[in-house]
Amino acid sequence: MPKTYDTIIIGAGIAGATLAHTLTKQNQNVLVLDKNGIASGGSGAAGAFVSPKIGKGSALQTLTNEAFEYAKDFYLRTCPQYFHQTGVIRIPKDEVDAKKFFEYEKYNKNSYEWYSKEKLQTLGIKAGFDSFYFPEAGDCDATEVCEFLLRDIEVKISTIEEIVYQNGMWRVLRQAQEPMAYEVAELVEAKNIVLATGYESTLADLRYMGIRGTWGTRGDFSSKFELDVSMHQSMSVGANVDGIIKLGATHEKEVKEVVSCSETQALTLREKASSLIDTSDLELKEVFCGMRAGSKDYFPLVGKVIDVPYMLETYPTIVRGAKPALKYRDNLYVLNGLGGRGFVFAPLMAEILAKHMTEEKEIDKRVNPDRLFLKWCRKRVS
């Protein structure tokens, strides 16, 4: 007989880890499956900044900053040893960008200060423009946070062969990579399945969500340079924590598949960072890379999965603008599309999905994937 759980989460990045942690706090028996292990993809390569979004008050900025407030409190409460609240400085890219900062100011609802270019220079930062300083922001130790959240939860390295819904339960056939380096086929089942699989979304028809990958690289450099604050301009530079400065992560949309990490790319980051700080003693220690998953409209994807084949077969006029009631796959959910702000979005998105699963609380419309379905259907014939 297969081993049974309340929920199986497929994906052990920051999305899957925060959801597993949240559901476990609600007394659910959770299993997490990942083909390469904890934080093995985009989450492990993240600079893992936890900071607000600046702009002119867009809906995405509002949601991001709500998530930021939730996330910083979550990390301070849950794993403060892995959240470095150094503050983050947002530096204009050029003179045009600097003028925009004055327009952005009235939309800064989070705690902030103006740092003059003179003050930045006293901190060892080569900035030519006045900048925003967000004192409550910082960055996480990406892999360590994911491992900590999953420390008391069953996690298995597995290649998923298929998921099948049968008699009110989801059955997952997995190929488990055991310590003796041979594969063992195992069947596990659960009432709920959550797909937190990042850019790889082959276990269900999620085409309407428009999940796409963006390649990221991060280099960790040893340094004696005293840098007490993190910053972001066209790239991210982390504060010096225990002799390590993190540089990155870059975003490359033209990369379509996972490739080996490149030291060359990390060293390019060091060269780029030299316009912001003194990089003369930075020595590359480790390179991290991976694909991050985003959505078409850059909002997260949180909620139920629509039964796409059923909808297209049953309501063929849907491609011409019909709006029938949606039918969902039973107890199949998604937590995805967190993009480059995974460590900002994950705690709040996990809370939203967990409450939906356990208390039937309605999903926030801003992140519900349903928003994308009808438009996707109409585009199929356009």
Side-chain angles (χ1 to χ4, degrees), residues 253-299:
K253 294 182 180 178
E254 65 271 16
V255 178
K256 301 300 181 185
E257 58 184 30
V258 173
V259 295
S260 298
C261 292
S262 167
E263 285 193 7
T264 302
Q265 183 62 46
L267 293 174
T268 300
L269 291 173
R270 182 177 65 184
E271 182 180 345
K272 195 173 181 180
S274 65
S275 65
L276 290 171
I277 62 170
D278 179 3
T279 60
S280 58
D281 82 329
L282 266 64
E283 182 180 338
L284 182 61
K285 290 298 182 184
E286 197 166 1
V287 184
F288 301 86
C289 57
M291 198 79 80
R292 297 173 197 158
S295 67
K296 288 180 179 178
D297 59 6
Y298 302 100
F299 283 78

Side-chain angles (χ1 to χ4, degrees), residues 31 237 290 298:
L31 170 66
V237 178
Y298 302 100

Side-chain angles (χ1 to χ4, degrees), residues 283-332:
E283 182 180 338
L284 182 61
K285 290 298 182 184
E286 197 166 1
V287 184
F288 301 86
C289 57
M291 198 79 80
R292 297 173 197 158
S295 67
K296 288 180 179 178
D297 59 6
Y298 302 100
F299 283 78
L301 301 163
V302 184
K304 296 178 179 178
V305 173
I306 294 171
D307 191 334
V308 174
Y310 173 88
M311 293 298 297
L312 294 176
E313 215 174 288
T314 308
Y315 305 105
T317 56
I318 202 170
V319 300
R320 295 191 296 275
K323 298 180 180 179
L326 299 175
K327 181 180 182 297
Y328 300 95
R329 303 285 301 275
D330 293 322
N331 301 327
L332 181 63

Side-chain angles (χ1 to χ4, degrees), residues 7 43 51 68 78-79 85 95 112 117 137 158 175 192 214 218 224 242 249 252 254 272 290 311 321 325 346 354 366:
T7 297
S43 293
S51 62
F68 163 71
T78 307
C79 49
Q85 203 172 28
E95 287 188 17
Y112 79 100
K117 59 184 180 181
S158 308
Q175 291 290 339
N192 307 303
T214 301
R218 188 187 91 228
K224 294 181 180 179
D242 298 327
E252 301 173 62
E254 65 271 16
K272 195 173 181 180
M311 293 298 297
R366 295 174 295 179

Side-chain angles (χ1 to χ4, degrees), residues 116-370:
S116 68
K117 59 184 180 181
E118 291 78 17
K119 181 164 186 175
L120 294 176
Q121 288 164 7
T122 66
L123 298 173
I125 300 170
K126 307 173 188 177
F129 307 101
D130 294 351
S131 304
F132 292 141
Y133 170 63
F134 295 97
E136 296 179 326
D139 67 89
C140 293
D141 295 326
T143 301
E144 289 81 356
V145 166
C146 294
E147 290 175 343
F148 184 87
L149 294 174
L150 294 170
R151 68 196 186 285
D152 297 322
I153 297 168
E154 189 175 359
V155 180
K156 295 186 177 183
I157 298 177
S158 308
T159 300
I160 310 303
E161 298 293 326
E162 62 178 337
I163 58 174
V164 178
Y165 192 69
Q166 209 173 57
N167 301 321
M169 298 291 286
W170 279 101
R171 290 194 162 190
V172 179
L173 179 63
R174 73 184 192 93
Q175 291 290 339
Q177 189 69 41
E178 300 297 340
M180 296 300 290
Y182 57 85
E183 290 190 339
V184 178
E186 182 185 35
L187 194 65
V188 290
E189 66 177 16
K191 176 184 176 184
N192 307 303
I193 291 279
V194 180
L195 302 177
T197 51
Y199 82 104
E200 296 181 289
S201 306
T202 59
L203 295 174
D205 192 341
L206 307 181
R207 289 174 294 165
Y208 67 96
M209 298 187 193
I211 298 169
R212 53 194 179 188
T214 301
W215 188 250
T217 305
R218 188 187 91 228
D220 285 5
F221 294 80
S222 64
S223 176
K224 294 181 180 179
F225 178 63
E226 292 184 12
L227 184 63
D228 298 326
V229 65
S230 299
M231 70 197 76
H232 181 84
Q233 194 185 52
S234 56
M235 64 174 293
S236 298
V237 178
N240 191 327
V241 177
D242 298 327
I244 296 293
I245 293 177
K246 302 175 187 176
L247 301 182
T250 56
H251 298 290
E252 301 173 62
K253 294 182 180 178
E254 65 271 16
V255 178
K256 301 300 181 185
E257 58 184 30
V258 173
V259 295
S260 298
C261 292
S262 167
E263 285 193 7
T264 302
Q265 183 62 46
L267 293 174
T268 300
L269 291 173
R270 182 177 65 184
E271 182 180 345
K272 195 173 181 180
S274 65
S275 65
L276 290 171
I277 62 170
D278 179 3
T279 60
S280 58
D281 82 329
L282 266 64
E283 182 180 338
L284 182 61
K285 290 298 182 184
E286 197 166 1
V287 184
F288 301 86
C289 57
M291 198 79 80
R292 297 173 197 158
S295 67
K296 288 180 179 178
D297 59 6
Y298 302 100
F299 283 78
L301 301 163
V302 184
K304 296 178 179 178
V305 173
I306 294 171
D307 191 334
V308 174
Y310 173 88
M311 293 298 297
L312 294 176
E313 215 174 288
T314 308
Y315 305 105
T317 56
I318 202 170
V319 300
R320 295 191 296 275
K323 298 180 180 179
L326 299 175
K327 181 180 182 297
Y328 300 95
R329 303 285 301 275
D330 293 322
N331 301 327
L332 181 63
Y333 305 90
V334 65
L335 178 53
N336 208 327
L338 306 187
R341 292 182 175 270
F343 283 78
V344 175
F345 279 127
L348 180 57
M349 298 305 110
E351 179 72 10
I352 289 172
L353 184 55
K355 284 190 174 180
H356 177 71
M357 293 171 64
T358 60
E359 303 174 18
E360 298 185 357
K361 188 170 181 179
E362 188 176 350
I363 296 287
D364 188 317
K365 291 180 180 179
R366 295 174 295 179
V367 301
N368 192 327
D370 291 0

